[in-house]
């Protein structure tokens, strides 16, 4: 049977790791080794340039959104409070990954502490769950603003927005907390080499020399639960919004909800593409998988402030006032 490029790459990595450790077994090593982008080591320095540029745009764009919302009293509304939550949930995963990735590319600093690896894993997964929940909250905000505008100010008060944000954080933490606890309990006696630029959950648990079906089943259940429930709630909100009686009202909703809809598409399409390439892209080279996972962490957070900066008139005017001042 002909072996695929993905299997060959993983096989070579495992062979390398076994020869490098002189075939000695070890349990729960003190560090993991992040390979970066296997197969593209010669050009990793050049690849760092676009990744560094995208990360700079993520930090600059999202901090600009936070600064403008804080500075402009007219933006102290539930929609923009939720936007600030989304911005923070976007910046944490990229900040948890990109600095370490650049240190691999620039300084060949591949080691990551055993505990730090699981902390990074927890940050990535919990922020992903929080991010998805915030999109639901933003869809609910638009539903109330359009379908029940007279009760908008009494329904989404500042305390209610704060409670929604806290509930979303608690949901993300409680659902994701078993991930690192389950992963830590497995013995890692094969290799400590991770063929990625960060501690991706499935890549880490696959290194364990134990039955990891419990981790796999739980991660699959959480992914279906979070994504399925959130997409259903968003779809229900937009179904109600688009069922307005007049054509003019429906067209107006597109202008009001256009930014949020674009962010939903950018987030979920990137997430879906990442899952599909992971599950069914076995004929793809390993470096393609690694690049796609890195792009998934950077592209949506980079696009979100651009989308809101271009489509939101209030943010656009506040930004222009800031520069002219």
């Amino acid at each position: 049977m002909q072996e695929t490029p993905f299997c060959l790459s993983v096989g070579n990595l495992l062979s390398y790791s076994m020869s490098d450790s002189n075939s000695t077994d070890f349990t729960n090593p003190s560090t993991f080794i992040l390979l970066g982008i296997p197969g593209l080591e010669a050009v990793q320095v050049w690849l760092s340039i676009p990744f560094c540029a995208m990360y700079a745009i993520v930090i600059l764009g999202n901090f600009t959104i936070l600064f403008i919302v804080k500075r402009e009293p007219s933006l102290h509304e539930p929609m923009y409070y939720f936007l600030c939550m989304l911005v923070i949930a976007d910046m944490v995963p990229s900040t948890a990954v990109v600095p370490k990735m650049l240190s691999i590319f620039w300084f060949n600093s591949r080691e990551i502490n055993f505990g730090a690896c699981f902390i990074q894993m927890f940050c990535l997964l919990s922020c992903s769950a929080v991010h998805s929940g915030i999109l639901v909250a933003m869809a609910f905000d638009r539903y109330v603003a359009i379908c029940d505008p007279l009760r908008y100010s009494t329904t989404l008060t500042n305390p209610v927005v704060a409670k929604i944000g806290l509930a979303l954080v608690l949901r993300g933490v409680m659902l994701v907390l078993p991930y690192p606890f389950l992963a830590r309990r497995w013995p890692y006696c094969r290799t400590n080499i991770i063929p990625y630029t960060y501690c991706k959950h499935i890549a880490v648990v696959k290194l364990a020399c134990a039955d990891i079906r419990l981790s796999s089943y739980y991660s699959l259940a959480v992914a279906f639960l979070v994504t399925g429930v959130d997409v259903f709630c968003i779809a229900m909100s937009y179904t109600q919004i688009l069922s307005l009686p007049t054509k003019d009202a429906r067209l107006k909703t597109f202008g009001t909800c256009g930014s949020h809809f674009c962010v939903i598409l950018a987030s979920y399409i990137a997430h879906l593409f990442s899952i599909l390439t992971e599950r069914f892209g076995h004929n793809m080279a390993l470096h393609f998988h690694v690049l796609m996972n890195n792009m998934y962490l950077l592209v949506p957070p980079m696009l979100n402030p651009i989308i809101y900066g271009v489509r939101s008139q209030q943010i656009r005017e506040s930004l222009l006032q800031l520069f002219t001042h």
Side-chain angles (χ1 to χ4, degrees):
M1 183 175 63
Q2 186 177 6
E3 297 186 51
T4 64
F6 182 82
C7 295
L8 287 171
S9 300
V10 173
N12 292 335
L13 293 173
L14 291 174
S15 301
Y16 167 77
S17 65
M18 293 299 292
S19 62
D20 187 61
S21 60
N22 295 323
S23 299
T24 57
D25 290 344
F26 50 90
T27 303
N28 293 347
S30 59
T31 60
F32 284 113
I33 306 297
L34 298 171
L35 284 186
I37 306 178
L40 297 179
E41 291 84 358
V43 295
Q44 283 186 161
V45 173
W46 299 106
L47 288 174
S48 69
I49 297 174
F51 282 124
C52 186
M54 284 190 287
Y55 180 61
I57 295 172
V58 168
I59 297 299
L60 180 62
N62 286 291
F63 266 114
T64 301
I65 295 290
L66 290 174
F67 177 75
I68 288 175
V69 172
K70 182 180 183 300
R71 179 179 179 272
E72 186 59 49
S74 64
L75 299 180
H76 294 176
E77 299 176 359
M79 182 178 76
Y80 295 104
Y81 290 148
F82 287 131
L83 176 60
C84 290
M85 296 179 196
L86 186 73
V87 160
I88 295 170
D90 277 340
M91 286 195 295
V92 171
S94 54
T95 301
V97 169
V98 176
K100 180 60 182 176
M101 178 175 66
L102 294 178
S103 71
I104 295 171
F105 293 168
W106 292 342
F107 310 114
N108 202 31
S109 175
R110 300 176 185 273
E111 291 189 356
I112 184 169
N113 184 271
F114 189 75
C117 183
F118 291 106
I119 292 173
Q120 186 188 61
M121 180 195 303
F122 174 77
C123 288
L124 294 174
L125 295 172
S126 59
C127 285
S128 178
V130 172
H131 182 278
S132 183
I134 294 170
L135 292 178
V136 176
M138 296 175 81
F140 176 69
D141 168 83
R142 292 298 84 203
Y143 163 74
V144 176
I146 293 170
C147 297
D148 198 4
L150 297 178
R151 299 178 60 186
Y152 180 73
S153 58
T154 57
T155 302
L156 286 171
T157 60
N158 287 348
V160 170
V161 171
K163 289 175 183 176
I164 291 174
L166 180 61
L168 293 175
V169 171
L170 289 176
R171 184 191 78 152
V173 170
M174 296 303 293
L175 286 175
V176 172
L177 204 55
Y179 279 83
F181 277 108
L182 286 173
R184 279 186 67 91
R185 67 190 293 265
W186 308 130
Y188 294 90
C189 54
R190 293 175 181 167
T191 179
N192 65 337
I193 293 181
I194 302 172
Y196 281 85
T197 57
Y198 63 94
C199 291
K200 185 177 173 67
H201 172 254
I202 192 64
V204 174
V205 297
K206 280 183 177 179
L207 302 180
C209 49
D211 186 358
I212 61 168
R213 282 181 295 179
L214 182 59
S215 280
S216 299
Y217 291 154
Y218 183 77
S219 63
L220 196 61
V222 170
F224 274 111
L225 176 67
V226 172
T227 306
V229 170
D230 290 354
V231 169
F232 175 77
C233 292
I234 292 171
M236 289 299 295
S237 296
Y238 273 99
T239 300
Q240 294 296 319
I241 290 171
L242 295 176
S243 62
L244 294 173
T246 63
K247 183 179 179 181
D248 290 339
R250 288 194 296 269
L251 290 174
K252 188 177 179 181
T253 60
F254 280 109
T256 307
C257 304
S259 300
H260 180 236
F261 193 69
C262 291
V263 169
I264 290 173
L265 289 178
S267 300
Y268 283 118
I269 288 177
H271 182 58
L272 180 63
F273 185 74
S274 176
I275 291 175
L276 290 176
T277 55
E278 187 71 35
R279 297 292 177 185
F280 305 108
H282 301 296
N283 292 325
M284 299 176 183
L286 180 58
H287 64 261
F288 180 81
H289 287 266
V290 179
L291 286 171
M292 287 301 101
N293 278 276
N294 290 333
M295 296 296 286
Y296 166 65
L297 290 174
L298 282 169
V299 171
M302 182 181 67
L303 291 178
N304 291 350
I306 297 174
I307 291 170
Y308 272 96
V310 170
R311 293 194 60 86
S312 175
Q313 183 178 357
Q314 288 175 285
I315 292 180
R316 190 168 62 247
E317 289 176 352
S318 300
L319 187 61
L320 290 173
Q321 288 176 5
L322 178 66
F323 280 112
T324 54
H325 177 72

